[in-house]
Every structure is written in C-alpha cells, then in structure tokens.
Amino acid sequence: MKYNIIRCLVDVHKVKLTVVPFDYDLEKNPSNIEWEGLFLSNGPGDPTMCPQTIKSIQYALNLDPPRPIFGICLGNQLLSLAAGAKTYKLKYGNRGMNQPCIDLRTGRCYITPQNHGFAVDSNSLPAMWKPLFINANDLTNEGIVHTDRPFFSVQFHPEASGGPLDTAFLFDKFVGHVRKISQPLVLQDGLAYQRQTVKKVLLVGSGGLSIGQAGEFDYSGSQCIKALKEEGIEVVLINPNIATVQTSTEKNEVTPGADKVYFLPIRPHVVMDIIAKEKPDGIIVSMGGQTALNVGVELWKTGQLQKAGVKVLGTQIDAIEATEDREIFSQKLQEIGESIALSYSANNVEEALEAARKIGYPVLVRAAFALGGLGSGFAENDAELKDLASKAFTVSSQILIDQDLRGWKELEYEVVRDSSDNCITVCNMENFDPLGVHTGDSIVVAPSQTLTNREFFMLRKTALKVVRHLGIVGECNIQYALNPKSEKYCIIEVNARLSRSSALASKATGYPLAYVATKLALGRDLVSIRNSITKTTTACFEPSLDYCVLKMPRWDLKKFNRVSNKLGSSMLSVGEVMSIGRSFEEVIQKACRMVNPSLDGLEGIDSNLTDDEIPLEEQIAVPTDTRLFAVQRALEEGWGVDKVYEHTKIDKWFLSKLENIARMRKACKDCGDVEKLFAENGTDRMRSLKMAGFSDQQIARYTNLTPLRDGTARVRAIRKSLGVIPCVKQIDTLAAEFPAETNYLYMTYSGNEDDVSEGLHDPIVSESDDESWPATPASKAFKNRIRSASLATSKSESLADKQERGVMVLGCGAYCIGSSVEFDWCAVSAIRQLRKDGFKSIIVNYNPETVSTDYDESDRLYFEELSLERVLDIYEREGAGGIVVSVGGQIPNNLAGSLASSGAKILGTSARDIERAEDRQQFSDMLDDMGLKQPAWSVARSMEEAVKFSEDVGFPVLVRPSFVLSGAAMRVASDEAQLKNFLGLAADVAADRPVVVTKFILGAKEIEFDAVANQGKILNYAIGEHLENAGVHSGDATVILPAQKLYVETIRQIKKYAVAISKALNITGPFNIQFMATGNDVQVIECNLRASRTFPFVSKTFHKNFISLATRAMCGLHVVPYNINLLDIDYVCVKAPMFSFTRLRGADPTLGVEMASTGEVACFGDDAPRAFLQAMLATGFKLPKAGSTVLLSIVNDNFRREFAESAITLSKMGYKLSATPGTARWYNANYNLDMKMVTKPVNSEDDGDDPATGAPSALSELKESDVELVINISEGTTRKDEISSGYIIRRTTVDYGISLVTNVKCAIWLVKSMERGYDKFKAKSVAEFYHLDV
C-alpha cells in the first residue's frame, strides 16, 4: 500500500483509516473493526492469487444496505473478480505517469500514473456492472462501476505521489458516498458533437522574419495547412514572406499546400478585402505570431469579422484579449486564486511613474500587445523609466510596469486543450538563465532539470487550471517565475497562440502542436486525433522523454556598431539551435558547436570569446551573448560552483555540469598525449569523453595533435578502433513504452544499441577527387577500406540502387543574418523532389524553427550537428549515394572540401570547384585568366601591400574575406586608418583563408544572376535588378524581377559572362553570380556555387522551382529546362528587406556592404512601382498621413538634385517639409520650397532651439511634432559630422517608431508610388498573376 493513499484519506479527507492485511476475513472480523466504507489498495502480481481477499470483497458486495467500495490498481482487478468478471495478462503492461484514460461518463480523457501487468476483461463483466474508464491507447479496461450501488474502482493511481493528480476527485466521490453525501450526476456535455462546419479558411501568416518573430511561424503555418487539407478544407493564405515553405504554390498528395496564396501586406483592411473576395467561413490568427493575432483582435473588436460572418477558429478573441491585457489577465487569475507579478498598466508617462513608485525600483517596463519583449527594459530610477516609457509608447498605446523578479527561475509549460475540456501539458521547459533575460535569449532545457517533483506537478496543476479558466482551445504557452528558495511562484504571462516555444516543444517532444491545435480549432477532440509518431496511440497524452533537449540562441550583435551585447527583457537573438542527447554536458557542448561552427565545444579560455581586459566578475555578473563562455572560463580557472552562483544566480545543478566539462578538459590537457590518454581503460575513457559531448577535434587539440585536421582524423581512427561509435536513437514521445514508427533520429554515445537499422549499402567513396586535393590519414584509410566495395559497384549501379541508397541533404543550421528561412525552403524543395523521384531522402539539420526538421518531410531526419565528424558518422552509417551541400547556405558549402577529402561523394558541383569560387584569390585569378572584367583587386598579404594597392587605385576600397556569408567582416574603407582596422577584423573572420582588397565603385547598378546548370551548361536563369546602387549588400537590397531597366547590351554581357563561368567551374546544380554595371560596362563581383537567398523569390516569381530542377541535375537524372519566356510575364515582383533596428538599440539604421536585414517580403504588381509600395507596406512601413511633416536630411548636392523632383511632389501632395540646414538652404534657394529649417543635433540630448536662429532641433521635431517620415541620405562614409548628427537623427527616428528611408533610389520610388495612389490596390492572389484557372 502506498503512503500517499494514507495521506489522501487521512490528511486530506480526514477519515479514520484502519489498514488490514490482504487475508483479513472481513465476514468474521476478528478485530471487531467498525467500518462504513471499504478501500481496496494496490499490490503486485496476478490478482487470481488472492482468493482470501476476493472472498472478503464478495461478502462486502452482498451487504444490505450496501457500504461504499473503492479500489485502485490491484483493487480494481480484485473487485472485478469478486463481482464475477475475469482478468488477463497484458502483453507489455501499462506503466508510466502519462497513460491517457477516458471517463466513459463524460468522454473526458485524463492523464494517469500506472504500473500494472494485468487487466480486467470488460466483456466478462456481469449484469449491473459497467466499464468506468478505458485506456485511450489500447482500449483496455481502466475501471469498473456498479450501476446502482456505490461500488467502483480504477486501474490507475489517482493519488500517486509522483503525480499527476488529475483524477484525485475519485477520492472525493468515495468519501462522499461513505459520508452519505449525495453525489452529483456526471454526464457528457455534448461539446464533442459540436463540430465546426467550415469549408474555406483564411490563414493569416506572420510576414517577414524579424527578431522575435522568425521561422517558427513558417513551420506552424505549414502544419496548419496540412491539417486543414486533411479535413478537405479549402485554404486561403495571406503572407508576403516569399521565402517560406508555406507560401509555395506547388502541391501534391504528400505535401498539400494552400489553395490560394496572397503575397500582400498583413493589414486589417487588406485582410477584409480578401474576406470580401474569397468569402471564407473561418479565420485562423493563432499561427502567424503577434502580427496575425493583432490583426485578428482589431477586426473582431471593430465588428468587421462578425459582420462578414467569419468565425475565429480556435481560441476566441475575448480569451486572447484576456491574456494580452494585463488588467483583465490579473483579474482572471484572481478569480481562481492565482496571481501575476506585481504589475500595473499605464497609458502615459505620468501613470508609469506612479506605478513604479507603488512597486519600488527597479521595475520592468513592457509594451502591451508586443512581440518578443519589444519596447521593454529595466529601469532603476525615474529618469530611466521616462526614457524607456517614451520609447515603449511608440509601439503600444499601453505599457506595463512590473515587479523586478530577476534571480527567480523561469519556466514554461506548453498546454493543449480541446473544446471537450481535455487538457494536457505537452512539454515543460526551464531557462538556464534566471529571470531577467528574455526567454528567446536564454538557453532553454527540456524537460526541466532542477525542479522537484512536487514543484513540477504544482506548476502543471496551475497551468491546467489557468488554461481552462481562460477558455483557450488549441495550444498555448504559460510562463512562470519560481522563487528558488521556496515554492512561491507567480505567472508571468500566457501566450494564447503558437509561439517560438511551441516550435521548440514540438521538435523536442515529437508532438506536432500546430497540427493538433488546428484539428482542435475545427472541433476535433484530443482523444480522436492519433499520435503522429506511434501512429496507433492517441494525441491525448503527455510525452515522456528519455533524453534531454537544449535550445541555444544565436545572436549577430557584432554586425552592428554601438549595439550593446547585454541581454535583458527585449529579445535580441536572430535564431536558435536545438541539440538532443542523454546528458546535459552532451547537449550543451553540441549546442555550442551548432550555434557557432568555429567552436569545438563549450570552452572558456580556448573559445576566444572572453575579454582579458574586463574582470571576470563583471563578465559573468551581467547577462551577455558571451556570458556562458565567461562562466566556463571561471570554472576552468577553479572558481568553484558556489562562487560562480553568487555572481550569476544560475542554478548550481547546471553549474556542476559545466564544472564536469572543465574537469574533463583539464584531465586531457594535463595528460597532453593521445596515446597515453587512452593507454589504460581506453574504451571507457573515450566513451566518457564522448558521452560528455567532447568532439574528436577537442580531444586532438587537448592532446597537442598537429596539424589539427590530421590530429582530428587520428582521434577518429582511435575512437573507432576502440569500438566507440555513436548510437542512433529515435524521438518516440513515449520513452519506448510503445513501438514507434518514426524516422526522427539523433545520435548519442549514451546508448548500447541502435533504434533503427543501418543502411543496406557501404558508403560510396568519391572517385572524382582531384589528386592534388588534400587528404588526411583517416580519409585515406576510409577510402581504402571501402574502395573495393564501393567503386566496384558504383559504376554499374542501377537507378533503383541509387534510389535505395538515398541522398543526404545538409540543412541550413541556425537562422542568422544572411542565412534564414529561404535556405530551409531550398532544403525542403530538394527533399520533396528526391522523394518524388523515388530517392530515399536523409536530412541533417538542427534548427527547430524549420519545416525541413519536420519528421514527415524526409525518409530519415537526423536532428544533428552539421560538423565534419557527425556528417561522416551519418554518411558511413546510412551508406548514402552522396551528399547535397548546395541548398543549405554557407555552413554546408564550407564542409564540401573536408567531406570530399574524407572520401564522401559530393553531388553536383565538385568540392574543388566550390573552393575555386569561394576563395577570393583563386576566383579573381580565374576571371583574369578568362578575360572577364572585375574591379581591380589585390590579395592582402601584408598591411603595407594593401595600403599601397589602395593608394594606387584610390580610396574607397572594399575589404573582402573568403568563405563567409552575408558579407561578414566586409567593409568599405575610405582611408588608410579604416583600411588597417578592417583588415584586422577580416583576418579574424577568414582565419587562414585569403582576404582580398578591391576597388569600390561608386554609383554602379548591382544585378543578381540566379541559375541552374548541368555539367557546365546553364539550364535556366533569372536576372534580378537591385533598386539601390552597388554598396548595399544584396541581402538588404530591393530586388525587382523581371529586371525593368537594364540595357539589352548589359543583359547580353551578363549572360555571356555567366555562360563562361558556369563552363569554367563545370557547375552542376544551383549557383548565383553578382554583377555590377555602369552603363554597359559589366563587372563580376562574386559567384556562389550554391543556392542563394533569392532562389525562392525567383522560383515563385516565375512559377518554376529552380531547386527541383537543380536536385534532378545533381542526382544525375535527365533534366529538361523550364520554358520561361519573359515576354509572357506581364507582372513584376519586388522583394524588400525586413529590418529589426527597433530592437537593436544603438544600431545605426543605415545600409552597407555587410548584411543587416533579418528577413524579407515580396509582393506582385502589374508594374514595378505598385509591387514596390506593397512590398514596403508588407515590411511594416507606415506611410505618412496627409498633411503630416516629412523631415529631409540629404548629404550632398548630387543626391539633393536627384531627389528634387520628389521633394516638389511631396510639397504638392500637401506634406509639410522640414530639413536640416544644408538641405533646407539648397532646396529653398534652388526650388523655393520654403522648407522649415531644423538644426542638426550635436548629441542625443540636443533637443533645444538654436539660440542664434531660433530654429528647433531635429530631435524636438521628431519627439514632439507630427513628423511621420524621415528621409536621411548619407554618403555612406564615416565622416565625423555624419556619425554624430546623421546617426542621432536616424536612431531617434527608429526609436520613436517613425518611418525612415536612407537610400535615395528607394525614397524616389516611394514618393512616385505615393503620388500615384498605389497604396490602394485590389487584392489579387498569385495564381491570378500566373493566369492560372482560379
């Protein structure tokens, strides 16, 4: 008998309890016990072996008047036998804490703890007895009840100390019977039969990717579309993000897409235009982040959805408002005895100050209805609060002043509830950092590691109570703050929509939250939906994890000058990784390598990410993007867990695990010799290191093996000779309690056997490698070992053999600036084409936000590192026919050389040719040899040579490192001092790769050439035209397709150059060349032998999937070029960048040669200006209202002259014009525009009037007047006055939520489009532009 049964009866229900042995004769009652109710306890084994107990129960059953009987576990079986039923042994038994059981009275499903091997045969129950509960998975009996007497029992443990206690009400019922309290009649409420009858649904997407709202909504939206199409519902999608998988128009039975896609701005009036046109029955606003949610709330509050007869599916708007409005939320929680942190709302700065004084400083300032903590921060005093509040009010009409709970633990639960009130928690997660760091910027661990069982179930119980009270239907996320020194907690917030955490929880558990939430929104109940992993069990369950998952954020703060790397309540990360393993040490080391491929694991001193000039105490006390490595350094230097805890408040359990890593590192370095390290107990030592997440390269470096590449190969050989190889494990959601049919895999050294079988073939060794290509001892051994098996068969392999072998596709890794959702679209397109052509597809990726890591996209998904070590592990194990490295961006492309030299077969363009294109020196040499024009260039072998070259060609010059993405460390140097500074930065990024200095050409037009080739011959191409002149990174440029203003001769030259380059590099697969043109003079900038970020844009504009074509070419299949005739295309598509400058405090919101945008959108139009303005609006750009002020600050006469016609137009349109002194004087003198003069600010506090002229400061105009648009055109140089004044104007503009344009070409197009009234447009789906039958 379990102690908690006694506690439940005696302590909770205050009954007098007498415990008797199993063979006590109840009829004779030798102890003369007086009893009013009989409780039958649990016990082990076969119930038929307890005849004495059964006899006593039979006596109790026949008493008149009857006395209540309640049995649990074995008691359920004994009561059944006493009643005359039969029991039998189950094949496996039902064990664990997450068994779903259906109450047959109500249809409700409860999560129950169980541990039994026998069950009651329901068919053998005699008359007057009925099943009370059944198991939702195997439908076995889980309880019985007498139809007119107070006898009942259940197979599970309602009272289990481990929890959950969802069915503890059964004890209430039993004790109520004993006390002769009338028990209420419990019946179904009929909600399960109220199915939504919808035939057409409008799905609102999230738009362009930004900090706080990224690729997770592509995943959730794609899952939603899949679920809707399974129900036979027509799907209309509005989403201007052209790079996403969900906006793809290709669809088939395996990958159903939306029926209609609108690439339009997500604005309330646009959504209503689509509703008026399409007439959907329902709308889903919970899958598109805060963007979609805010639109849905506004349309509901204004009554427009109700008037149109459109139902909001899933959680209703009043429930959403209850979670978004802090006052309503607080009131709702008070109704059920729960509370949020001390918090007050404020509608102006004075109210904010009053709230702060009530709470006491420091306080947290947050904007209501904002995503990712936008507009939030901590204030220590009135002055800081005023500054934060002023900025927060630019993004929201209401702000929140919250109690400061920094130092408390932060936890999250993902909760799912259906309309029948079945409610489960799918995943609980714990932040590595204490409260004070936005959860999007914190390391997150699932399941939680430091909670006690009591704490876990306390918070779980609260989550279910809150979600039920709020009336949420679908999926939501609840966040807690928990005092680490007590069980005191408060609720931070509830997100009544799919969130970033939802995507993470889905991938961490294998539970498809967005898919299930969509089904629930249609009225389905959890019990009827199947578990996608096991295929046989119900979706009404709580996943069990026999592994650990860790999410680590990815930041790109170093791309921005003046941006602090301090982390707080406003999210700054641009992406994230997820690692899976079976120890905390393993997952955190894997995650470090995933988030930064230049890291070998979690290291402090060796990471080069700590600062020797800043005291270590300071580096670990303040949360930053590098604090983890400073913490590790402190542990490596012997600080100890307690001392680090005092400075960081990071839980000691986490710190102890980091200390383990530090100790193992020290042991390896102290030994210093690889042979000595593994001489004794070599297998155990190697396995211990690998179980703790150490890579082969780390071990090689610790044991002084040089060169490191050869040393790493040697460690790999030693490891394999010791028999230490990783196991392949499945994500099966139920910790192996049920057979899983999943291809969702990870690798770990904490296992003895594989969960899936190996590939049927030996791996193919590449036979096309150039003999000059560097080879390591291990790669030679690898080639020799399999050459006879591989080469003998590869020449004669049939297509069927190749299809069976399969193809590995390397994904994009973490989203970052320069590598985002567009590369996931490329990877998914490649996978889908492989499956369509009958090839087994194997994807390797570790980004939880992606569609490619959805387990039903590929035949095998390895949620693993994109490192040489792990990719080779998978390649050898699967026996794949080759590896595609050209669809995942720069990370897989950079692996091509190492993989090829290790013997792996690279599909498509050879690794040697990839090297020739990526290496700046080799590529420039090749162009010179071919006679193709390029800007003057020189390899920066020394500082002196670089300076001399720059002086010879004349400044400005461009510094370009090799093998980098998004122009990392690329800079324009205007003088010698800048050149020397930038060369040092580029050398750090490029490592041992060449850094090239080229002449920077001002005023040139930049042109994109995206193409697919087969064996050097171009199959299809697209020429895109940048609106901005060269000098703006291609990822930040506005791109027009088809090109509208290129000379015929320019196009001819571009095609000629591209054909020559494709032939010279023998390209097979996707590639991108960037050109610049001045007049008809065309020059080559660079060539990427991989898919570029514009491939989805090109493919969707032309309605031809370039990646599908490239995949067939790379697999050696017959390929036929698409028939693309530009004369038949009577529309234009414009791609516009999406920036997140509002979050990056201090960043200069201007553009240069290093990419700064976090996402992109694209819109279609009958002409380029229409498409341009729609695209601008789709980025969130706000047009100035009629009669408002436009502030101009244009740096020189050339730009002023170029913009003059537009300035006149603005004046004619009724806008008031203000300008900085030079701009105002020039326009007033030359065009008599009567511009109001404002002074340039000297610093960020300079907002007073000019004492000499009385002219107001530009800052006071921005802060206090009706300025709604700022056009600030700088030279792009780094002159001091532009930095001091122009930067302050731009930064203030962004901070106060005012629209900003910094490029003269874009400003001209904007004014032209506004003048023509192109902000008003008719909603057209992309199919209408394609002229498809719609």
Side-chain angles (χ1 to χ4, degrees), residues 172-190:
D172 301 341
K173 181 178 178 65
F174 170 58
V175 174
H177 280 310
V178 173
R179 291 176 174 155
K180 297 182 171 55
I181 299 171
S182 178
Q183 294 300 298
L185 184 65
V186 181
L187 295 171
Q188 287 192 5
D189 54 19

Side-chain angles (χ1 to χ4, degrees), residues 230-268:
E230 283 182 0
E231 300 290 328
I233 294 171
E234 184 179 349
V235 181
V236 179
L237 171 68
I238 174 174
N239 192 352
N241 192 336
I242 203 159
T244 58
V245 175
Q246 66 175 259
T247 54
S248 294
T249 53
E250 309 108 308
K251 46 185 180 285
N252 53 53
E253 292 179 3
V254 180
T255 54
D259 295 281
K260 293 182 182 177
V261 180
Y262 285 84
F263 288 96
L264 291 172
I266 301 173
R267 303 284 179 95

Side-chain angles (χ1 to χ4, degrees), residues 26 54 154 158 285 307 363 386 394 428 448 458 664 685 725 824 828 846-847 850 885 1017 1030 1125:
L26 204 56
I54 294 169
V154 291
V285 297
K307 186 177 179 181
V363 294
K386 285 180 181 177
T394 66
N428 99 297
S448 57
M458 172 184 72
M664 296 177 86
R685 285 187 173 186
I725 57 174
D824 192 53
V828 169
Y846 49 74
N847 186 336
T850 57
V885 299
K1017 182 180 178 182
N1125 188 344

Side-chain angles (χ1 to χ4, degrees), residues 38-40 61 67-72 75-76 79-80 105 129-130 132-133 143-147 149-155 158 167 169-178 183:
L38 180 63
F39 181 84
L40 307 176
L61 288 172
R67 299 183 195 180
I69 301 175
F70 176 35
I72 64 171
N76 178 58
L79 181 63
S80 302
R105 300 168 302 168
W129 287 89
K130 296 288 183 182
L132 179 59
F133 286 85
I144 62 171
V145 64
H146 197 278
T147 55
R149 290 179 170 239
F151 309 149
F152 68 100
S153 59
V154 291
Q155 190 59 62
T167 52
F169 62 83
L170 294 169
F171 277 88
D172 301 341
K173 181 178 178 65
F174 170 58
V175 174
H177 280 310
V178 173
Q183 294 300 298

